Amino acid sequence: MKNVFNGPEAYAVCLKKDGKAIGAIELMFKDRTNLTEQDDECELGYWLGKPFWGNGLIPEAVEKILQYAFENCGMNKVWCGYYEGNLKSKRVQEKCGFKPHKIIKDSPVPLLNEKRTVYVNELSKEDWEARQVFKI
């Protein structure tokens, strides 16, 4: 985790009951992402250990970091992507309001020394704010 999620806005995803780190989440600004060059946009990345999948932990973490991005970091858009076949990550992004933007075929994955298809999604501050009205 610390080799990938190591920027200034990288955080551990921890269990509330014992504080054990089980994943990571990060906002990557224009100097750390290829998805935007804008000062008011960033990329969101996350990872969760497989034993903890399916418990709603990443959607909860994503919602919190989106709030931070829009309310504290001055972002007007957050980008997020998932690799073809990663249906759990696709579902997280759908749950959190991200909308499809583009598909990048043969995108390099340096850590795995391979190329994959990436589905890139976006969430504007305006769309995020509209979703907040319906939350209790």
Side-chain angles (χ1 to χ4, degrees), residues 83 108-116:
Y83 293 119
V109 185
L111 291 174
L112 300 176
N113 199 26
E114 62 186 33
K115 293 182 179 183
R116 293 186 180 181

Side-chain angles (χ1 to χ4, degrees), residues 12 15 29 36-37 45-46 57-58 87 89 104 117 119 123 129-130:
L15 292 175
F29 300 100
T36 184
E37 294 180 0
Y46 50 82
L57 300 170
I58 286 297
L87 299 180
S89 194
I104 305 171
T117 298
Y119 292 79
L123 180 63
E129 288 174 335

Side-chain angles (χ1 to χ4, degrees), residues 6-105:
N6 58 11
E9 296 294 343
Y11 304 93
V13 174
C14 300
L15 292 175
K16 289 179 182 176
K17 67 180 181 181
D18 61 12
K20 178 182 174 186
I22 57 169
I25 193 163
E26 181 176 11
L27 294 175
M28 296 163 278
F29 300 100
K30 69 178 186 178
D31 58 332
R32 294 185 48 85
T33 178
N34 294 326
L35 295 182
T36 184
E37 294 180 0
Q38 303 299 315
D39 289 331
D40 64 347
E41 298 181 4
C42 65
E43 178 183 357
L44 167 65
Y46 50 82
W47 176 86
L48 185 68
K50 197 170 187 175
F52 304 97
W53 290 5
N55 295 308
L57 300 170
I58 286 297
E60 181 181 351
V62 167
E63 291 291 354
K64 291 293 183 189
I65 206 161
L66 286 172
Q67 180 180 5
Y68 177 71
F70 292 125
E71 293 181 356
N72 300 94
C73 299
M75 296 295 107
N76 283 312
K77 186 175 287 185
V78 176
W79 298 91
C80 197
Y82 65 91
Y83 293 119
E84 186 171 60
N86 188 342
L87 299 180
K88 291 195 178 294
S89 194
K90 175 184 180 185
R91 184 66 188 125
V92 166
Q93 292 171 44
E94 290 171 345
K95 279 183 182 180
C96 295
F98 283 86
K99 296 178 181 178
H101 177 71
K102 67 180 176 180
I103 299 170
I104 305 171
K105 296 194 180 280

Side-chain angles (χ1 to χ4, degrees), residues 63 67 71 96 127-136:
E63 291 291 354
Q67 180 180 5
E71 293 181 356
C96 295
D127 287 345
W128 177 80
E129 288 174 335
R131 293 181 71 245
Q132 303 315 297
V133 173
F134 298 106
K135 290 186 180 180
I136 296 174

